[in-house]
Structures are given as structure tokens and as C-alpha cells.
Amino acid sequence: MKKFKLYFEQYQLLEENAKGHLTHLEELLLTKGEKGYDQARTYLLDLLGMLQGKHKRKIKMSVKWDGAPFIMAGKHPDSGEHFVATKGAFAKERKLNFTEADIDDPKKKYPEGLAKKLKTALKFTKQMGIKGLIGGDIMYTSPSEIKPTVHDGKEYISFKPNTTVYAVEKDSELAKEISNSVFGVIWHSAYADIDDSTKRDISSSEVKQLKKVPGVWMDDAEFTDSTGKVDIDKDEAKQIKDLIKTADGIKVNFKSITKYLPLINIYLNSEIREGSFIEDPEGSFKRFLLWNTKRNQKAIDKLKSKRGRERKTDASTEQLAEIKSLDKNIVNLFKKSKLLQQAKQIFINKYNNAVYNTKHFFDNGDGTLRPSNPEGYVAINNDGDLVKFVDRLEFSRANFGSGKPGAK
């Protein structure tokens, strides 16, 4: 095992940094193995049963907003003082901000733009009467971020917190509310304690209980179908069941490939960056081998000592040989993940068909907009577990390298 230590320390670090991170449905078998596969298929079957009116186990869906930065706000459990924070709330050395002076603290190294956003968030969230700890995504913190927009001859007001441009018809009541505000936030999470990054979905009723503050537009992320378009017909239900049945029949010895699952997950993200996702499982396996070989070589080239390079080269050679010996299991893993993704996409398409108060666009960078779907959805089961339903080729690829503010 020592031979592989250098390669897997970074993957353990990746898993540690992913606490509180929402997983894509088809990634569950890459993060939890066989248990993850069972969990993914249960999500799909429960959601299917709910939309068919069988309601075996209800799945709640919330809309995934593409805001930035993430903020946590509320009263500190010990002192009772109100604070606001980014994801730095979960760091070993917590970055909690009770005052503007805390935000200006040079040790926290907040960029100027992020510091301004946090000061605005601190000012307004302090007035909301937040009782516990809640989390959300900032949509805007200044009227200058709300802009007039025209698309296909229609007039909108719009804001772009991250990758997605959100647009609201100019003469609507929602547009008037947003235009009269300076701070916009979508609340989506609640936390039991400052020491626990585990989150649960915040309910609409909880958000409605917050005080209305002049200059603030806020909402929750809960999906409400007011159109009746989110249903599943017999053909679609059969397609979903057939995809799951096919996936069930593909055998994977998860025990043999467990230590490589984090590495495979990183590789598949590289596929998405290039605009594909397991189009050809056998081809993906070959590209995975090449990708890993190049990745190891980069690490080898960075070593200064000849002895160190030789040791790592030997470890890389043995690792590659072992991966090649596991080709059937890894190819079958790719097949199962792809089938889950295909079943998931049927649900995403149904939810996308519902009418939203906000329109969604990508900015082409030349002053024009390209219509898009909502960023995606978060499915919450009866146990409070959350998983992402996102069209990764459309949104995850767009978000790679987008540089969301407020990571710390």
C-alpha cells in the first residue's frame, strides 16, 4: 500500500474538502460504491412513483440557483451574536463576521468585491430575525447589478450572479420588487450547529417567517409546479424502468475498484470539461488510462531526486498495470453511471418544461444572450439526504473555471 500512498493522499484530501458538497446522482456510485448505486436507483424509483401519483416515498425537489457567493447567516449558538460568513464558516479556522471590522480583517484576505458583498449581506440579514443558521446564494448586492435586457423583442430586467443570467419580464410584479431592492438572496439550506456542515433543505414556510426588510428581495429554492407539466407518461415510465433494469444487470465488483473511485470521478469531470460524458464506455476507459499516465508523469517530472523519480515511476507502472487488470469492472462502472445519467435526464427535462417566473440565459460575451434551462434541481428524500439533478454537459461544464466568489 505504501507504493500508492503518494497517489491517494490527494484523493483523501479531496473527499475531506467535499464535506457538505452536493453530489450528482450518477456520482453516487463513484463516491459510495455499491451503496451509492442503490441510493441512486432508490431516488429515481421514488421520484417516479411520486410523479405517477403512487407516493411511496415522497421526494422534494428544489431549484438549484446559480448564485455566488454562498453565505451562512444567523446567530452564533454560543454568543447569540448575528454573523455572516462564506464557506469559510466550515474551515478549521473559521471566518465568521460579526461586524464590518471583521470583514476588513487583513488575515481573512477577502477580495474587495467579496468584502463589499459580505458587508451588504451582514447589514440586511441582521434585520431578518433569523433564529437558527441558514444558508443561501447571493443574487446581487447593488442596484447596478440589475440591468435592463432585451431578448427577442421582449424587455426584461436581469442579473448575473455567476454563470447564468436571470431575467424577469419588465412589467411584472416580480420585476418591480427586484428593481426596488439592493440585495437579493435565495435561501436553500439550514444547519443544526456551527460545528456541523451537514445541511437540510430549508422550507418555504421557514423563509416566509423571516422579517420583510426594505431593500431586500429574497425567496426560497423550493420547486412548485403550478403548470401541471411535471408528470410522467407510460412510455417515459417504461423508459426509466428499463434503464434501471439494464443498470441492475451490469455487474461491478466494487470492492476491487474502491480505491480508484475518487480517481475515476476526477477523470469523468475532465470528460465533462471537454463536452462529453461516457459516450463510449470502452473508449472512456482507454482515455482514462492515458489521462492517468500523463497525470502521473507530471508528478514524476516535478521530483528533483533521481531516486524519488524512480520510486514514483515504479509505483505508477504498477498502478497502471492494476488498473488495466480491472478493465471489465471499470468499463461496467462507466456503463452503470451513464444509464443513471440517462434516467436522471428524463426527470430534468420534465421539470424544465414547467413555467418559471424567471427566464434563464447564458451570456455569449458579445452583448447577446443564449436561452438556457434552469441550472438544475436538488432532490431531497424523507431522510433529508440531498442529491443534484443537473444537466452536467450544459451547466457543470459552464461552471468549471467560472471562479465563483466566496469560496473561503
Side-chain angles (χ1 to χ4, degrees), residues 75 124-132 209-211 213:
K75 291 183 178 180
F124 286 109
T125 58
K126 191 177 288 188
Q127 303 173 55
M128 293 179 184
I130 300 170
K131 293 180 180 179
Q209 288 172 8
L210 299 177
K211 292 179 182 177
V213 180

Side-chain angles (χ1 to χ4, degrees), residues 2-8 260 263 289-301 303 308-324:
K2 288 183 179 179
K3 295 177 181 178
F4 298 104
K5 183 178 179 183
L6 292 174
Y7 296 99
F8 290 99
Y260 290 113
L263 184 64
L289 288 175
L290 180 61
W291 171 87
N292 190 46
T293 301
K294 290 180 178 179
R295 194 171 191 268
N296 286 347
Q297 189 59 51
K298 284 183 180 179
I300 293 167
D301 292 342
L303 296 176
R309 289 195 298 272
E310 288 175 348
R311 280 200 300 260
K312 202 155 190 177
T313 298
D314 289 344
S316 177
T317 300
E318 290 192 28
Q319 183 201 51
L320 189 64
E322 184 175 15
I323 291 174
K324 285 181 178 178

Side-chain angles (χ1 to χ4, degrees), residues 352-369:
N352 285 346
N353 283 336
V355 176
Y356 288 81
N357 290 326
T358 54
K359 304 294 182 183
H360 306 74
F361 300 93
F362 285 140
D363 190 337
N364 290 323
D366 59 1
T368 61
L369 298 175

Side-chain angles (χ1 to χ4, degrees), residues 152-324:
D152 281 350
K154 284 189 177 182
E155 292 185 326
Y156 300 90
I157 61 162
S158 68
F159 48 91
K160 184 187 176 187
N162 188 41
T163 304
T164 302
V165 176
Y166 293 96
V168 181
E169 291 188 16
K170 182 181 176 183
D171 295 328
S172 66
E173 288 300 316
L174 180 58
K176 292 176 184 176
E177 185 179 352
I178 292 173
S179 296
N180 290 326
S181 67
V182 297
F183 177 60
V185 60
I186 299 293
W187 299 114
H188 52 66
S189 307
Y191 302 84
D193 192 272
I194 192 71
D195 294 320
D196 188 357
S197 64
T198 305
K199 59 187 173 183
R200 65 170 175 81
D201 185 60
I202 194 168
S203 67
S204 293
S205 59
E206 288 176 284
V207 174
K208 286 182 173 65
Q209 288 172 8
L210 299 177
K211 292 179 182 177
K212 290 186 177 180
V213 180
V216 173
W217 171 69
M218 62 180 172
D219 202 350
D220 62 87
E222 187 172 337
F223 179 88
T224 303
D225 177 25
S226 59
T227 67
K229 293 185 178 180
V230 185
D231 57 6
I232 296 288
D233 61 34
K234 290 183 179 180
D235 289 340
E236 290 164 334
K238 183 179 185 305
Q239 187 179 357
I240 292 166
K241 289 177 180 178
D242 286 346
L243 287 166
I244 295 172
K245 184 178 180 180
T246 302
D248 287 345
I250 297 173
K251 303 303 179 185
V252 175
N253 181 350
F254 281 98
K255 187 176 181 180
S256 69
I257 61 173
T258 295
K259 66 181 178 182
Y260 290 113
L261 292 180
L263 184 64
I264 293 169
N265 203 1
I266 296 170
Y267 162 72
L268 289 177
N269 278 327
S270 74
E271 273 203 7
I272 291 167
R273 286 188 184 93
E274 295 173 0
S276 65
F277 182 71
I278 318 179
E279 300 304 326
D280 168 24
E282 287 80 7
S284 285
F285 178 73
K286 291 177 182 177
R287 287 189 294 275
F288 169 55
L289 288 175
L290 180 61
W291 171 87
N292 190 46
T293 301
K294 290 180 178 179
R295 194 171 191 268
N296 286 347
Q297 189 59 51
K298 284 183 180 179
I300 293 167
D301 292 342
K302 289 179 181 179
L303 296 176
K304 294 182 179 179
S305 73
K306 181 180 178 181
R307 180 62 178 158
R309 289 195 298 272
E310 288 175 348
R311 280 200 300 260
K312 202 155 190 177
T313 298
D314 289 344
S316 177
T317 300
E318 290 192 28
Q319 183 201 51
L320 189 64
E322 184 175 15
I323 291 174
K324 285 181 178 178

